[in-house]
Amino acid sequence: MYGNTSFGDEGLDPETLTADQRRQLERDLSLVAQHTRKLLPAEFVVGSDLTAGSDGPEATVAVRPPVGPVVSAGYTPEEADATITEDERTDLAQGLAASAALQVKQALSGSTNPTAR
């Protein structure tokens, strides 16, 4: 239908990263994923991805809980040299871990019997 129609800015040119900038962003994503893995049990699968979006590079870290939907967080750097700071990495990891744990809790609510009364 409208897939090939550009309704946005005609001159929008996605920012491209140099090899060093890409490696730095991938390293930052890897650190977020690693921190998230440490916060969760082994049954949770954590991964990261860096893709080229319409507005430049798009970074994603996702968690697949053992039950429930996937939880993900996206990051789009504003500048090519931007890095994900340690505080941002910690916030992302803790937020993802908490959201993934909540997904499991919500998926299991009502489907288990209490062990004691």
Side-chain angles (χ1 to χ4, degrees):
M1 302 246 238
Y2 299 107
N4 295 327
T5 305
S6 60
F7 290 112
D9 295 333
E10 295 291 327
L12 187 63
D13 185 24
E15 190 173 23
T16 57
L17 299 175
T18 66
D20 288 339
Q21 292 166 335
R22 184 175 180 83
R23 276 192 295 274
Q24 178 62 46
L25 191 52
E26 287 172 341
R27 207 171 302 129
D28 290 344
L29 286 175
S30 177
L31 289 171
V32 171
Q34 180 181 20
H35 190 155
T36 306
R37 280 186 203 100
K38 288 180 182 178
L39 296 171
L40 294 168
E43 292 84 13
F44 290 76
V45 179
V46 182
S48 61
D49 191 27
L50 181 61
T51 58
S54 61
D55 292 332
E58 293 179 0
T60 305
V61 180
V63 179
R64 176 173 291 286
V67 294
V70 173
V71 176
S72 64
Y75 175 80
T76 303
E78 294 177 10
E79 300 173 2
D81 288 332
T83 60
I84 304 174
T85 67
E86 186 174 346
D87 288 340
E88 289 173 327
R89 290 192 302 259
T90 300
D91 287 346
L92 282 169
Q94 289 174 346
L96 278 168
S99 295
L102 182 61
Q103 288 298 332
V104 171
K105 182 178 178 183
Q106 289 176 341
L108 293 177
S109 68
S111 64
T112 58
N113 295 327
T115 52
R117 288 190 178 222

